[in-house]
Amino acid sequence: MKKLMSIKNLQKYFPVKKNNFFQIGTEYVKANKDISVDIYEGETLGIVGESGCGKSTFGRTIIQLQRQTGGSTLYYGDTIEDFMPDYVQTVYRNLPKISGDYDQDLNTIEKMEEELETLDAAEKEAHFETLRLKKIEFDNTYGNTLRLVGGLVAHDNLKQVSSILLNRYDAASTLAEYKRNLEFEQQKQKMKAAYNQEEIDRLTEELQTAEKNLNEENAKVEELKAPLRGMTKFERFERYLDEGIDLAALTKKETRLLRKDLQIIFQDPYSSLDPRLTVGDIIGEGLLIHKFFKSKRDPGYQAYIVDIMEKCGLKAEFIHRYPHQFSGGQRQRIGIARALAVQPKFIVCDEAVSALDVSIQSQIINLLLDLREKNNLTYLFITHDLGVVRYISDRIGVMYFGHLVELGSAQEIFNNPKHPYTKQLLNAIPTMEEDEDALWDVEEEYDDFEFHYSKDGDHDPDWIEVAEDHFVATTLKDREAYYDKRKESSHEFVTS
């Protein structure tokens, strides 16, 4: 399956207002502490957990409604070559300036890894946590450099590398702009909006020239790499090249360009709709902001909105009504139609059915499943309802106090849970049976690992695969023995 988003070491902290003027330092509410997960194209990833565990914050943060504090969120619905954000140019320009710090920090990490082998069990746990945090800090500082420059960081003349990469950036950004404008005109044509055929022809012609220029610059980059191939350092970092777009590094203008790809269905179907706008205006607002249509008077504008409404189970005659004239289920359909109107690739469903009664819930869930199949959508489905998440999700992630503590297929999470907190959630599902034997044993012992999670959720540093594609946050009893048995590296250096 193709990756659509890759979240690494995501952190979202909210500063707490100082109690008095003399208070030193700033305290934070750590809503998301260290979350890493990949989301694949066309899947539904369910996120469950108790109130206050950070589920909604996680959903809003990965689409940058709230800026993340640390970590990286890479988006693959578009590529660096086709988007060319400003931070790419910044990385290329600053490459010679960070080389000294980069080598120093890398040497520090490698030295810490060597020291880990000489420590006893008690010291090893504390040192392993320090090493993990150091790697996160390293990725926050140098991750985009490795993802964009790769093995060329090993070149002796980084000023020359910077100059050639900047030339390639200029050629690639020109090509990306032509591609973006051409795709936009073609999309308007498909939506039966007003489009400019002469502009399409001009952009097609300009595209060929821009592609030729970019190929020439790419050839110069390959010439730089040729003498480095075979070097250990070059090969080590060349594999970190990544075409994903770091959403956290985008400017506000660039984030707005991608907003049409990344949408959200809010939890409350009442407060999330502007009471002063009609249904047609609510759904069409995004179309006008992203300039799919120039105005409401454009041919095809109203017909397109009616088509989206009907796909979401809303009658055409509702287009001029206001939100207060609808039931909760109908309002949620309006929210879904609003999100779908700009043809997104990824939708965060934040408690999208929790405010609805059971019969309406089933209608909305079936609607979301149908739309996913027809439009190849990807969902992050956030909910408290374990029955709902089991039905709609391909995979389920369990969150506890800002951490992802278990991740696996829906079937695996319900039939073979490992984390004590997951078992407590499953045991809390209401049932007509009184058989206590049907409850999961929260105190179960395991040969290789154990759990020390507490109210802060920070006491289980290991993330291991207990079954195929089934991961759990735990504490290994003997880390070296476990990885030796699995023939894997216990502390492989990973930056992306």
Side-chain angles (χ1 to χ4, degrees), residues 196 264 381:
N196 189 333
I264 184 170
F381 195 87

Side-chain angles (χ1 to χ4, degrees), residues 27-201:
E27 295 182 354
Y28 295 91
V29 174
K30 299 180 179 181
N32 297 146
K33 297 178 183 177
D34 183 9
I35 300 176
S36 296
V37 64
D38 293 332
I39 303 175
Y40 297 95
E41 190 177 88
E43 80 163 341
T44 298
L45 174 63
I47 298 292
V48 298
E50 63 191 78
S51 296
C53 70
K55 304 186 301 297
S56 294
T57 300
F58 174 63
R60 291 167 185 251
T61 301
I62 63 174
I63 63 173
Q64 305 305 308
L65 281 183
Q66 298 166 333
R67 288 290 183 175
Q68 61 197 57
T69 306
S72 62
T73 303
L74 301 182
Y75 173 64
Y76 297 93
D78 213 336
T79 65
I80 286 288
E81 289 288 336
D82 291 338
F83 196 71
M84 274 298 156
D86 288 346
Y87 78 83
V88 177
Q89 186 181 36
T90 302
V91 168
Y92 291 163
R93 184 181 294 117
N94 294 336
L95 182 60
K97 301 177 184 178
I98 68 167
S99 58
D101 293 339
Y102 167 85
D103 288 333
Q104 183 179 352
D105 289 352
L106 179 59
N107 291 336
T108 300
I109 288 174
E110 291 175 341
K111 185 178 179 181
M112 290 176 68
E113 288 179 331
E114 293 173 1
E115 291 175 356
L116 193 64
E117 306 293 337
T118 64
L119 301 175
D120 59 32
E123 296 173 324
K124 189 173 290 186
E125 288 302 322
H127 192 79
F128 182 80
E129 178 64 10
T130 304
L131 176 59
R132 184 182 70 85
L133 295 175
K134 185 68 176 177
K135 289 179 179 180
I136 293 174
E137 180 186 353
F138 185 91
D139 184 63
N140 289 340
T141 307
Y142 305 110
N144 279 333
T145 299
L146 294 179
R147 286 188 280 267
L148 295 171
V149 181
L152 283 174
V153 296
H155 199 281
D156 292 334
N157 190 345
L158 289 178
K159 286 186 178 180
Q160 181 187 5
V161 174
S162 175
S163 176
I164 291 176
L165 290 178
L166 283 170
N167 289 337
R168 185 179 70 170
Y169 172 83
D170 291 337
S173 59
T174 301
L175 176 62
E177 185 177 358
Y178 288 147
K179 276 186 177 180
R180 202 157 49 240
N181 292 338
L182 178 60
E183 289 173 359
F184 185 64
E185 289 294 330
Q186 291 172 338
Q187 194 171 27
K188 288 199 292 185
Q189 187 177 9
K190 291 179 183 177
M191 295 168 64
K192 298 181 180 178
Y195 65 94
N196 189 333
Q197 185 60 48
E198 291 183 1
E199 181 68 4
I200 291 177
D201 295 338

Side-chain angles (χ1 to χ4, degrees), residues 420-440:
Y421 179 67
T422 306
K423 293 178 180 179
Q424 290 177 15
L425 287 179
L426 297 177
N427 288 343
I429 298 175
T431 177
M432 298 296 291
E433 300 176 4
E434 297 182 1
D435 184 10
E436 293 187 0
D437 293 335
L439 300 177
W440 291 100

Side-chain angles (χ1 to χ4, degrees), residues 190-240:
K190 291 179 183 177
M191 295 168 64
K192 298 181 180 178
Y195 65 94
N196 189 333
Q197 185 60 48
E198 291 183 1
E199 181 68 4
I200 291 177
D201 295 338
R202 185 190 71 82
L203 289 170
T204 303
E205 188 175 331
E206 295 282 4
L207 206 60
Q208 296 175 355
T209 304
E211 285 176 345
K212 182 180 178 181
N213 292 337
L214 179 59
N215 289 336
E216 290 175 358
E217 296 301 328
N218 283 334
K220 294 177 183 178
V221 174
E222 291 303 314
E223 287 180 15
L224 274 181
K225 291 183 177 182
L228 300 176
R229 296 193 183 279
M231 290 176 55
T232 302
K233 188 175 180 180
F234 174 84
E235 297 298 337
R236 182 184 189 188
F237 293 112
E238 184 69 4
R239 70 175 183 266
Y240 293 127

Side-chain angles (χ1 to χ4, degrees), residues 1-8 37-43 74-79 242 244 378 395 496:
M1 294 178 70
K2 178 186 173 183
K3 250 192 301 192
L4 185 67
M5 298 189 80
S6 181
I7 297 101
K8 301 292 184 186
V37 64
D38 293 332
I39 303 175
Y40 297 95
E41 190 177 88
E43 80 163 341
L74 301 182
Y75 173 64
Y76 297 93
D78 213 336
T79 65
D242 199 306
T378 304
R395 290 188 300 153
S496 61

